[in-house]
Amino acid sequence: MNRFDVTELLLLAALWGGSFILIRYAVPEFGPFALILVRVGLATLFLVPILVVRRQVNALRENWFHACTVGLFSSAIPFLLFAYAMVSVSGSFASILNAGTPIWGAIIAYFWLGEAMNGRRIAGLVLGVVGVLILVWGKLDFGQQGLGWPVLAVLGATVFYGVSASYTKRYLSGVPPLVTAAGSQIGAMVVLLPMGIAFWPDTAPTASAWSAGILLGVVSTGFAYILFFRLIRSIGPANTIAVTFLIPLFAALWGALFLGETITSRMAVGGATIFLGTALATGIIGTRRATKEA
């Protein structure tokens, strides 16, 4: 990677790390359904004109069903689960759990797509699951004041991200990335529109909450998608996935600066274990060495 690629990778991590904090800030006033409708709606308004300018509308027409279905798995459901969870849990905690997404992606790809599993990958998956258990241990209290359901919501979101990755590979390989991005947001918006309207807050959100929602939709979703797909094109998916490790660092930084969140020792240990397991499972650690030995 050159310096420009590194800069874009850091910017993407900062934007996606910020999304956790923006959700945490705005969701008490909007509620989960309304906030995520704002998020995907604004992302759609941002991405569709770019799709038109790049003359990829026909590609969307040809692949609209699968692109919109990806939106259900990659945006509508996980975004909603994160918004629900972050009424109760910190953005830093949610972002660390989110770092385990590639682990669930690898497991789903194994069962659905038949992707191979070697010893290093299996060890990484086991280690990543251990990291998740460290992080959530003692939090799965499903009482009235417990965090059990919010924690399960975050874990569920990461599983749906894994499903979306395999679905995209299965049905949208070769489709322009911008088509998938725009189509997914259109699909998510259509799915969320009825519930977003039904649960629109009775009290109008404040200007600061609206500002957070606008930043979430336009910058941390629409613009971030463009950065993400540009990085995949320029440095490849294996290098781009490194953003997963950087997001919690920025989420913790933004959370500390703007919301007064703190990182506990358990979060640090669990996060480090998840990162190591993910690095092994995705080949970030071990691949070069194995190649040299071969």
Side-chain angles (χ1 to χ4, degrees), residues 72-281:
L72 182 67
F73 297 136
S74 69
S75 296
I77 296 176
F79 286 179
L80 192 59
L81 289 173
F82 272 120
Y84 161 74
M86 280 188 281
V87 174
S88 306
V89 303
S90 71
S92 302
F93 176 87
S95 69
I96 293 171
L97 267 185
N98 181 64
T101 294
I103 294 173
W104 312 122
I107 293 172
I108 292 168
Y110 171 75
F111 286 105
W112 189 359
L113 304 179
E115 290 193 358
M117 283 280 188
N118 55 30
R120 172 187 51 77
R121 200 172 193 187
I122 294 173
L125 294 176
V126 172
L127 192 60
V129 172
V130 169
V132 170
L133 290 175
I134 292 173
L135 201 59
V136 305
W137 195 262
K139 293 184 178 293
L140 296 180
D141 178 2
F142 295 93
Q144 188 172 3
Q145 302 299 322
L147 296 176
W149 292 116
V151 169
L152 284 186
V154 175
L155 290 173
T158 64
V159 172
F160 275 105
Y161 282 147
V163 171
S164 72
S166 287
Y167 189 96
T168 301
K169 187 171 183 178
R170 174 68 177 81
Y171 295 107
L172 292 168
S173 293
V175 175
L178 181 60
V179 171
T180 302
S184 68
Q185 296 309 294
I186 293 171
M189 181 181 67
V190 171
V191 169
L192 290 170
L193 187 61
M195 299 302 288
I197 294 174
F199 288 94
W200 193 263
D202 295 328
T203 302
T206 61
S208 58
W210 267 110
S211 297
I214 292 170
L215 286 173
L216 181 65
V218 176
V219 181
S220 289
T221 307
F223 180 65
Y225 263 122
I226 294 176
L227 280 179
F228 177 66
F229 290 121
R230 280 177 60 179
L231 282 166
I232 287 179
R233 184 181 59 201
S234 61
I235 66 176
N239 286 325
T240 303
I241 205 171
V243 73
T244 303
F245 302 92
L246 299 172
I247 290 172
L249 302 179
F250 282 98
L253 175 62
W254 304 145
L257 288 176
F258 299 110
L259 298 179
E261 295 182 355
T262 59
I263 300 293
T264 66
S265 58
R266 175 179 290 186
M267 288 169 65
V269 172
T273 308
I274 291 172
F275 299 160
L276 180 58
T278 301
L280 286 169

